[in-house]
Amino acid sequence: MNKYFLLLITLSFIIFINCQVNQEMLNLKNFEWENRVLIIGGHGSKFKSQLDQINFKSKEFIDRDLVIILLEEDNSRISYDGLNTISSIDYDSTLSIRNKYDFKNFKLLLIGKDGSEKYNSNDPININVIYELIDGMPMRKQEIKERN
């Protein structure tokens, strides 16, 4: 009986550990000189429309060292591979980003590798606009040259 009880407790513990949400603490400074960051915040039709523009574009995001942060009302997430893999972001990090960049309604924000704001929109845009902006940046041109 004790063996079964111990086994049950062990399995319950393993299930509990695996079911916990892995939340990532986030500091945007950590991305400087390594990644560009695209932050999309909001909800409703504008948010969904922008996400529809991004889906299935993972190669382009990876190629441009672009991290995506999704700030929703009750759930914030981050992806390093064009939405193929998504991790949750902790509440304090979410609040910090919301306050720093004034995310109240829908907003799209592009931050360059130097940490500065490169583009800001209150309306969904064609994702190719972001690619063109990035591809026109001097650092990106250098990256392309070095990769070829």
Side-chain angles (χ1 to χ4, degrees):
M1 178 76 168
N2 283 342
K3 284 183 183 180
Y4 294 114
F5 181 73
L6 190 56
L7 180 63
L8 180 64
I9 295 295
T10 303
L11 288 174
S12 298
F13 180 74
I14 291 170
I15 291 170
F16 175 76
I17 296 277
N18 288 328
C19 288
Q20 286 186 336
V21 175
N22 183 20
Q23 290 193 330
E24 190 167 333
M25 291 186 68
L26 196 62
N27 182 345
L28 293 179
K29 290 258 182 224
N30 294 340
F31 295 111
E32 284 184 15
W33 308 115
E34 296 293 323
N35 296 97
R36 295 168 185 91
V37 180
L38 182 65
I39 306 173
I40 303 168
H43 57 278
S45 62
K46 285 185 175 184
F47 188 82
K48 183 179 178 339
S49 173
Q50 192 62 66
L51 283 185
D52 289 345
Q53 284 282 323
I54 292 171
N55 284 335
F56 312 112
K57 305 279 186 181
S58 61
K59 180 185 177 300
E60 288 86 353
F61 279 84
I62 294 167
D63 185 51
R64 290 171 177 84
D65 301 324
L66 191 58
V67 171
I68 305 168
I69 297 175
L70 304 173
L71 300 178
E72 297 177 77
E73 286 180 300
D74 57 351
N75 184 23
S76 296
R77 302 168 290 157
I78 187 167
S79 177
Y80 299 91
D81 61 3
L83 299 181
N84 287 325
T85 308
I86 298 175
S87 301
S88 292
I89 301 172
D90 72 296
Y91 178 77
D92 291 337
S93 300
T94 298
L95 195 58
S96 174
I97 294 168
R98 282 187 186 284
N99 291 337
K100 182 175 182 177
Y101 295 105
D102 194 31
F103 276 89
K104 289 185 176 91
N105 297 311
F106 177 85
K107 187 175 194 175
L108 179 139
L109 178 67
L110 176 64
I111 300 172
K113 283 189 174 183
D114 62 358
S116 68
E117 193 175 309
K118 303 296 183 183
Y119 185 82
N120 187 335
S121 176
N122 292 320
D123 292 305
I125 62 164
N126 187 310
I127 199 63
N128 291 325
V129 171
I130 296 296
Y131 298 152
E132 290 169 10
L133 282 167
I134 292 171
D135 292 346
M137 296 175 182
M139 198 176 300
R140 172 67 176 154
K141 289 179 182 179
Q142 185 63 35
E143 291 167 3
I144 292 169
K145 188 183 289 185
E146 289 173 2
R147 289 179 185 168
N148 290 335

